[in-house]
Amino acid sequence: MRWILFFGALIGPSICCQEKFFGDQVFRINVRNEDEIHKLIQLVNSDNFTLNFWKPPSTFGCPVDIQVPSFSLQPVKSFLKSQGLEYSVTTEDLQIYLEMDSMAADFPDFVSQVKIGHSFENRPLYVLKFSTGTGEPRPAIWLNAGIHSREWISQATGIWMARKIVSDYKKDPAVTSILEIMDIFLLPVANPDGYVYTQTKNRFWRKTRSRNPGSKCIGVDPNRNWNSSFAGEGASDNPCSEVYHGPHANSEVEVKSVVDFIQEHGNFKCFIDLHSYSQLLMYPYGYTVDKAPDAEELDKVAGRAAKALASLLGTKYRVGPSSTILYPVSGSSIDWAYDNGIKYAFTFELRDTGRYGFLLPANQIISTAEETWLSLKIIMEHVRHHLY
């Protein structure tokens, strides 16, 4: 039941309203007199905003902390501004942080949070690291989710997989064997600014939220911004386009943070990017129809992974290079990974094939994650047994 509530929260208020925290923020408000305290109490007691005191008012000059739901952010900000109340945001994206904190606290021996940077709007980029080793960087797997903000099933699946890793360690021989010699890094929300925007403003927002000088249009497609055939086919130089590649490769701090971390680490063997929708399992290249040097091996691994995925509920995935089975894509994450020596680079386009599209119902979250996990294990086991 806990997981149903949690993933209902991630997938959004239009589907499940219980225990929804994602997009919520904590405001710290400076109160200077009795009148301001009275105004705050009235605000919190209002039924319209569903606010909650974390640190209630006590004496003048002491800050007050209030949890503000995502749907109340704008009206509460407007109220505070109109009343001359000074505030700062101390906690952003509450749900994801709570879940990541919980895993790190519950499994301190092999789960930790690594901060790799900030988003354009200054949200921290936290990665979950699963490791049983110490010392020099071990061979590693990178799991990326939510690079396109409207693809909510990818973020939900990423967090579900994190819980699966910690729950199956020392129980599932495959997971245990992988973690004996490899580390796993998971970035559950690769585009946090866009994700919050889909929760609060525009459900179908895809890009980052960076500003484009000389244009009224906001954002860059972060999966066209990697330094791999940058600005080639399948990307646009129009800032208003959904596939705008940005002014230059790695212009988006969300992309550059991942690039810098992976390059500094220097021992990643696998890169997997979770997207939706279409039910595809793809490998390089996206920017050319020419075969990648390792195409034969990658195709076999992807085929086995797709078969494992289908074994649970019969969900069928097509397998192949992204340029062939999807469309031409330049500046993509997996092409960058492959071109930079990470041989096992794959993109999942999760459920479904178009009936619901980006609005996949909450009752399909767990089944999507469960079947995807089976295919992910096939890939990770292959990598574990074919280190290079």
Side-chain angles (χ1 to χ4, degrees):
M1 182 63 178
R2 176 176 179 270
W3 279 105
I4 294 173
L5 294 177
F6 175 68
F7 286 110
L10 282 182
I11 210 69
S14 63
I15 299 174
C16 178
C17 60
Q18 301 183 67
E19 300 293 326
K20 194 193 86 64
F21 297 110
F22 196 91
D24 289 17
Q25 297 180 354
V26 177
F27 286 12
R28 173 157 292 179
I29 303 164
N30 297 317
V31 291
R32 295 160 293 192
N33 52 55
E34 187 175 346
D35 181 56
E36 291 186 345
I37 290 178
H38 179 68
K39 288 175 181 176
L40 277 184
I41 292 174
Q42 282 189 319
L43 179 69
V44 172
N45 289 340
S46 169
D47 294 333
N48 296 327
F49 302 121
T50 321
L51 306 182
N52 179 38
F53 276 125
W54 277 25
K55 184 180 178 183
S58 54
T59 59
F60 307 148
C62 293
V64 176
D65 293 341
I66 298 176
Q67 179 185 341
V68 183
S70 58
F71 57 82
S72 294
L73 290 174
Q74 291 307 314
V76 170
K77 288 178 181 178
S78 297
F79 174 85
L80 295 175
K81 183 177 180 181
S82 70
Q83 301 299 315
L85 293 168
E86 298 176 356
Y87 74 95
S88 60
V89 179
T90 62
T91 304
E92 305 228 31
D93 310 334
L94 189 57
Q95 176 62 54
I96 282 290
Y97 291 156
L98 288 175
E99 188 62 20
M100 295 175 77
D101 287 345
S102 173
M103 277 183 267
D106 292 346
F107 305 91
D109 292 341
F110 78 106
V111 182
S112 60
Q113 289 189 74
V114 181
K115 184 178 177 182
I116 66 169
H118 283 86
S119 68
F120 177 82
E121 294 178 342
N122 209 35
R123 292 181 172 88
L125 294 168
Y126 283 122
V127 173
L128 281 174
K129 178 184 179 181
F130 307 89
S131 177
T132 61
T134 57
E136 293 296 314
R138 303 197 304 170
I141 296 166
W142 183 271
L143 304 178
N144 215 59
I147 196 169
H148 287 148
S149 49
R150 65 190 177 190
E151 299 168 5
W152 287 2
I153 187 60
S154 67
Q155 297 95 332
T157 298
I159 285 291
W160 186 95
M161 286 179 173
R163 273 289 171 187
K164 189 65 173 171
I165 291 168
V166 297
S167 65
D168 282 10
Y169 176 59
K170 291 187 176 179
K171 297 176 183 177
D172 183 326
V175 174
T176 305
S177 174
I178 291 164
L179 285 172
E180 281 177 354
I181 65 170
M182 302 189 74
D183 295 340
I184 300 173
F185 293 81
L186 168 65
L187 178 58
V189 184
N191 179 7
D193 297 346
Y195 196 11
V196 170
Y197 198 73
T198 66
Q199 296 275 339
T200 58
K201 292 289 186 180
N202 179 350
R203 172 63 184 85
F204 297 103
W205 187 261
R206 167 186 171 98
K207 300 189 290 182
T208 63
R209 294 294 300 164
S210 61
R211 304 302 181 263
N212 295 310
S215 174
K216 68 181 188 313
C217 296
I218 300 294
V220 167
D221 183 341
N223 205 37
R224 302 294 186 276
N225 192 239
W226 302 70
N227 193 15
S228 178
S229 189
F230 177 77
E233 190 175 2
S236 172
D237 60 3
N238 180 358
C240 298
S241 169
E242 289 280 77
V243 292
Y244 174 51
H245 50 56
H248 56 82
N250 301 339
S251 65
E252 303 312 282
V253 65
E254 297 86 354
V255 172
K256 190 176 188 305
S257 295
V258 175
V259 168
D260 289 348
F261 183 84
I262 288 177
Q263 290 184 330
E264 183 177 350
H265 181 282
N267 203 12
F268 277 89
K269 306 300 182 183
C270 179
F271 186 111
I272 295 173
D273 206 356
L274 301 179
H275 289 252
S276 76
Y277 59 94
S278 284
Q279 295 176 197
L280 306 173
L281 179 46
M282 302 177 289
Y283 51 84
Y285 289 117
Y287 62 78
T288 177
V289 295
D290 294 342
K291 282 191 175 183
D294 301 291
E296 184 175 350
E297 180 185 4
L298 296 177
D299 191 75
K300 288 180 180 178
V301 175
R304 288 174 49 225
K307 184 176 180 180
L309 188 153
S311 70
L312 185 65
L313 297 167
T315 308
K316 302 297 184 184
Y317 272 54
R318 291 191 294 133
V319 169
S322 50
S323 61
T324 302
I325 66 170
L326 186 59
Y327 42 66
V329 175
S330 60
S332 73
S333 63
I334 64 164
D335 282 356
W336 173 85
Y338 187 79
D339 285 346
N340 282 270
I342 304 176
K343 179 166 74 168
Y344 299 108
F346 297 94
T347 292
F348 281 82
E349 291 281 354
L350 302 176
R351 291 190 192 179
D352 57 6
T353 56
R355 180 181 179 185
Y356 297 106
F358 301 121
L359 302 177
L360 195 71
N363 62 13
Q364 292 194 38
I365 299 171
I366 301 300
S367 55
T368 299
E370 287 176 338
E371 66 190 13
T372 306
W373 173 248
L374 296 179
S375 60
L376 183 66
K377 278 206 305 180
I378 292 292
I379 295 172
M380 293 194 299
E381 284 185 280
H382 183 90
V383 176
R384 184 238 186 272
H385 291 294
H386 295 82
L387 294 176
Y388 53 93

